[in-house]
Amino acid sequence: MALVSLPDFDNNLFQKGGDSEELQELLRDPLNLNPLFNRVISGGYLIGSTIKPLIASAALEEKIISPQKNINCAGKIIIPNPWDPNASTTKKDWTVHGWTDMKKAIAESCNVYFYTIGGGYGDQIGLGPTKIKEYLELFGWGEKTGIDLPGETEGFIPDKEWKKKTWDTAWWDGDTYNLSIGQGFLQITPLEVVNSFAAIANGGKLLQPQVVKEIVNDKKEVVEEIKPKIIRQDFINPDNLQIVREGMRQAVTGINSPQASAVLLNSLPVSAAAKTGTAELGNNYYNNWVTVFAPYEDPEIVLTVMIESVKGMQTAALPVAKEVLQWYFSK
């Protein structure tokens, strides 16, 4: 329904008679903001915790964990070094969550829970990098969606072979833990993200995004109607997707999740479900994400907002999503 990339530009500058001075200023782009670059379809970004509903779907589908099983999320996991007992690695969470089941883990964005089901920890086996990549690809990550716009690029999902070829080093458990929470080498387009969450919202149909709805002639008669196109479906059990949706809903309501990540959306005129993401870029800069679908009971729209290179840990995308949804459902 809408696709926005900012900063933007006026298409009319490129037609005959356009303001040549303003066009040259645009093309010079002194601030290097790349206004001609469509970030939605061509930009690859680190996604952070946005990945977690997809990891949860994969874990349920592979039957490696019951959604009711509680994991003690004490704020970190400690990975022993097999060669040096004094050189263990600590992977931290953003807070202590206590005993956490899958819905709470999605709602509160618990890193320890997703480290555990992604890479395995203690007596809990993990998906491992090969299975993680397999399921991300089923959700359409790492491939073009086929949208009817020029310039689309596919995202990138790292694997063992790529790391060996590129860095001449092995894939470590730490790489799997990073991948499990959307950190590391991952680069995904915002369009791939919103499209994958549409499949979660609609019960398991990955659709091809399309800009054109119909083609009309000069008499405004419909010449061709563009039908919806399904890329794939039934790759996740609907019951498993329902659990993931309930976790995303819990992120908004805060029920049984005192540290729920998206309660700001609970005042909307309709029920919503959401997943936030904060991807660490280094030097205290982050990509800030949120994806929402609403109404929860009968989804009508899916909205993804991503603000890149935000300084500090801020709730940047969530207020934008709230304002858009407030307008949409009360206009």
Side-chain angles (χ1 to χ4, degrees), residues 1-185:
M1 296 174 69
L3 184 154
V4 179
S5 177
L6 298 173
D8 61 358
F9 62 95
D10 182 359
N11 276 326
N12 293 320
L13 292 175
F14 290 89
Q15 70 177 4
K16 189 175 181 179
D19 187 327
S20 58
E21 189 175 320
E22 190 175 342
L23 175 60
Q24 287 305 312
E25 186 177 336
L26 172 70
L27 296 176
R28 283 194 297 267
D29 185 20
L31 297 178
N32 196 30
L33 297 174
N34 297 318
L36 299 179
F37 182 65
N38 190 328
R39 288 158 163 79
V40 179
I41 66 172
S42 303
Y45 298 99
L46 201 57
I47 55 164
S49 296
T50 304
I51 201 173
K52 290 173 180 175
L54 281 65
I55 299 293
S57 300
L60 292 172
E61 200 68 16
E62 290 295 310
K63 298 181 173 60
I64 66 168
I65 192 169
S66 161
Q68 289 81 35
K69 179 179 177 179
N70 280 279
I71 292 173
N72 187 13
C73 299
K76 62 184 178 182
I77 61 171
I78 299 174
I79 310 162
N81 186 316
W83 299 282
D84 183 356
N86 298 316
S88 60
T89 301
T90 300
K91 305 290 289 183
K92 292 186 177 181
D93 209 329
W94 67 275
T95 190
V96 174
H97 301 270
W99 290 101
T100 302
D101 64 9
M102 182 171 282
K103 292 179 189 176
K104 182 182 175 185
I106 294 171
E108 296 192 2
S109 205
C110 174
N111 286 347
V112 166
Y113 185 96
F114 286 95
Y115 288 145
T116 304
I117 66 170
Y121 191 71
D123 62 356
Q124 174 61 52
I125 63 170
L127 288 162
T130 302
K131 278 294 178 186
I132 290 175
K133 183 172 183 178
E134 176 187 322
Y135 278 94
L136 294 180
E137 288 176 339
L138 285 173
F139 275 103
W141 289 16
E143 64 181 18
K144 294 180 182 179
T145 66
I147 192 171
D148 47 339
L149 289 172
E152 183 184 16
T153 59
E154 68 273 6
F156 172 72
I157 306 168
D159 57 27
K160 296 177 181 179
E161 291 74 21
W162 168 84
K163 192 181 179 197
K164 181 65 177 175
K165 181 179 177 181
T166 307
W167 298 94
D168 193 26
T169 185
W171 182 278
W172 302 102
D173 287 345
D175 294 317
T176 306
Y177 290 134
N178 284 338
L179 182 59
S180 301
I181 63 163
Q183 291 288 155
F185 307 106

Side-chain angles (χ1 to χ4, degrees), residues 137-321:
E137 288 176 339
L138 285 173
F139 275 103
W141 289 16
E143 64 181 18
K144 294 180 182 179
T145 66
I147 192 171
D148 47 339
L149 289 172
E152 183 184 16
T153 59
E154 68 273 6
F156 172 72
I157 306 168
D159 57 27
K160 296 177 181 179
E161 291 74 21
W162 168 84
K163 192 181 179 197
K164 181 65 177 175
K165 181 179 177 181
T166 307
W167 298 94
D168 193 26
T169 185
W171 182 278
W172 302 102
D173 287 345
D175 294 317
T176 306
Y177 290 134
N178 284 338
L179 182 59
S180 301
I181 63 163
Q183 291 288 155
F185 307 106
L186 206 61
Q187 296 284 302
I188 305 298
T189 70
L191 184 64
E192 287 173 324
V193 170
V194 73
N195 210 38
S196 63
F197 276 85
I200 292 174
N202 69 29
K205 287 183 183 177
L206 186 69
L207 297 161
Q208 179 179 307
Q210 296 173 158
V211 175
V212 179
K213 182 180 179 183
E214 58 191 21
I215 299 170
V216 299
N217 61 20
D218 56 357
K219 297 177 183 177
K220 297 190 177 179
E221 297 167 334
V222 176
V223 176
E224 181 183 351
E225 185 180 351
I226 310 301
K227 303 288 186 182
K229 296 176 184 176
I230 298 173
I231 298 173
R232 70 180 63 88
Q233 60 183 331
D234 302 326
F235 55 94
I236 301 289
N237 186 305
D239 293 338
N240 292 336
L241 289 176
Q242 178 58 27
I243 291 164
V244 173
R245 286 194 295 269
E246 289 171 7
M248 291 178 63
R249 175 66 179 144
Q250 197 165 308
V252 175
T253 65
I255 296 172
N256 298 321
S257 293
Q259 299 175 105
S261 62
V263 289
L264 187 66
L265 303 177
N266 207 24
S267 60
L268 289 170
V270 296
S271 57
K275 184 68 197 79
T276 57
T278 305
E280 191 172 349
L281 305 178
N283 297 319
N284 200 31
Y285 282 90
Y286 302 84
N287 289 339
N288 199 275
W289 296 79
V290 66
T291 298
V292 191
F293 66 83
Y296 171 71
E297 297 79 10
D298 185 17
E300 184 178 326
I301 62 169
V302 179
L303 170 68
T304 289
V305 177
M306 190 279 289
I307 303 177
E308 62 181 283
S309 301
V310 176
K311 188 169 185 179
M313 291 284 285
Q314 301 181 46
T315 308
L318 199 60
V320 178

